[in-house]
Amino acid sequence: MRRILVPTDFSEEARNAYEVALAIARRTGAAIKLLHVVEGQYYTPNFSATGDTMVGNDSMEQVFMMQLLKVTKGRMQELLKAIPHQGVDVVEEVDVDKPISKIKRTIEEDQVDLVVMGSKGSSGLDEFLIGSNTEKVVRTATCPVLTVKQRIKDFNVREIVLASDFKREVRYAMDRFKTFQQLFGARMHLVYINTPGAFESSGNLRQKLEDAAEKYGLKNYTINVYNDVMEEDGILHFANDIKADLIMMATHGRTGLSHLLSGSIAEDLVNHTPIPVLTFHLK
């Protein structure tokens, strides 16, 4: 792992994510880019966040944006000073753009290995109609995304839940998940949530999980079949039962009408659990 991206809006949750990213960087030697994206009604594609080039530079709108950028860069410097990052290469960037577009472009251009983001979570009509920026990144990022809500004083993962149906496509995510497990020397708990609508015998399911563990060369793991009404509830209940430090899931990243009608268990977990969630978008 060489590059970690931490988008920040200077919220408490974003600060918590930055602290977790620093803990990971100290274990891996990775560099961190701390990114804040200003999105305002005065944004135009020709505007330069550095102030080197501006179109209509005598307009009040552009003057306002330059003042906003000055204040924002000051807040970025305050954040860097407030949280010690000795031994970690941290660079900061403030840009004017659409946040999701900028994050996706940065992932590609900087060859980012991991995005660490804060999440406030959401519920009800706001969640259905809008969704959070974090959820959109989880849905579209081409690298793993770690979402963090609460402050974790010492991010030291010991117990990991890997929830999946363990079908063939999960292989694209398994190497990423194994790397994270090995980074912390954690125990991985493979779990299949057995629901009334798709019930299978526990014996068959346990054999399926054992076959997957052997196929992917897993070590230090347990096999679990957990009965619950819904997949999301089962994952949360199981994670709480074993006092998990991290939940890992692959997501298909559905968008548009398909996403609204079907939803995504991984995105729902990001919204609803205080436990950090590591997701990987299956292409």
Side-chain angles (χ1 to χ4, degrees), residues 156-182:
N156 189 16
V157 178
R158 292 302 180 203
E159 308 293 339
I160 298 175
V161 171
L162 175 55
S164 175
D165 56 11
F166 297 95
K167 292 182 179 178
R168 186 174 59 184
E169 60 266 25
V170 78
R171 70 180 185 272
Y172 296 112
M174 194 60 76
D175 284 345
R176 311 292 182 102
F177 293 156
K178 285 171 61 178
T179 297
F180 218 83
Q181 177 197 17
Q182 292 163 6

Side-chain angles (χ1 to χ4, degrees), residues 162-167 189-195 198-200 205-206 208-209 223-227 231 235 238:
L162 175 55
S164 175
D165 56 11
F166 297 95
K167 292 182 179 178
H189 302 271
L190 279 64
V191 62
Y192 187 106
I193 306 303
N194 207 11
T195 62
F199 185 81
E200 293 188 50
L205 291 175
R206 292 186 68 86
K208 180 186 294 187
L209 269 62
I223 297 297
N224 305 272
V225 176
Y226 197 92
N227 297 323
E231 288 91 341
I235 295 168
F238 177 74

Side-chain angles (χ1 to χ4, degrees), residues 100-273:
I100 300 303
S101 297
K102 175 65 179 180
I103 291 170
K104 290 173 64 177
R105 191 164 62 251
T106 301
I107 291 171
E108 295 299 324
E109 292 176 354
D110 291 4
Q111 297 181 325
V112 170
D113 299 299
L114 176 68
V115 176
V116 185
M117 290 189 72
S119 174
K120 294 181 174 66
S122 57
S123 60
L125 187 61
D126 178 65
E127 176 185 356
F128 182 79
L129 294 177
I130 302 173
S132 66
N133 280 332
T134 303
E135 182 182 343
K136 293 172 185 175
V137 174
V138 166
R139 197 185 311 155
T140 60
T142 55
C143 67
V145 179
L146 177 62
T147 56
V148 179
K149 288 182 182 175
Q150 299 178 345
R151 186 176 185 218
I152 305 173
K153 188 175 181 180
D154 180 18
F155 187 67
N156 189 16
V157 178
R158 292 302 180 203
E159 308 293 339
I160 298 175
V161 171
L162 175 55
S164 175
D165 56 11
F166 297 95
K167 292 182 179 178
R168 186 174 59 184
E169 60 266 25
V170 78
R171 70 180 185 272
Y172 296 112
M174 194 60 76
D175 284 345
R176 311 292 182 102
F177 293 156
K178 285 171 61 178
T179 297
F180 218 83
Q181 177 197 17
Q182 292 163 6
L183 177 63
F184 290 94
R187 179 167 51 173
M188 186 185 294
H189 302 271
L190 279 64
V191 62
Y192 187 106
I193 306 303
N194 207 11
T195 62
F199 185 81
E200 293 188 50
S201 73
S202 295
N204 289 343
L205 291 175
R206 292 186 68 86
Q207 186 60 54
K208 180 186 294 187
L209 269 62
E210 289 283 6
D211 292 344
E214 182 178 357
K215 177 180 180 180
Y216 298 119
L218 299 185
K219 298 179 180 179
N220 192 16
Y221 65 90
T222 68
I223 297 297
N224 305 272
V225 176
Y226 197 92
N227 297 323
D228 214 314
V229 177
M230 297 177 61
E231 288 91 341
E232 179 193 342
D233 291 344
I235 295 168
L236 291 175
H237 294 155
F238 177 74
N240 289 329
D241 286 350
I242 68 163
K243 296 180 172 57
D245 303 298
L246 178 70
I247 297 172
M248 299 194 302
M249 282 198 70
T251 174
H252 289 277
R254 290 184 291 268
T255 59
L257 185 60
S258 172
H259 168 71
L260 291 176
L261 293 178
S262 303
S264 165
I265 296 172
E267 292 159 27
D268 288 343
L269 285 173
V270 167
N271 274 331
H272 300 141
T273 180

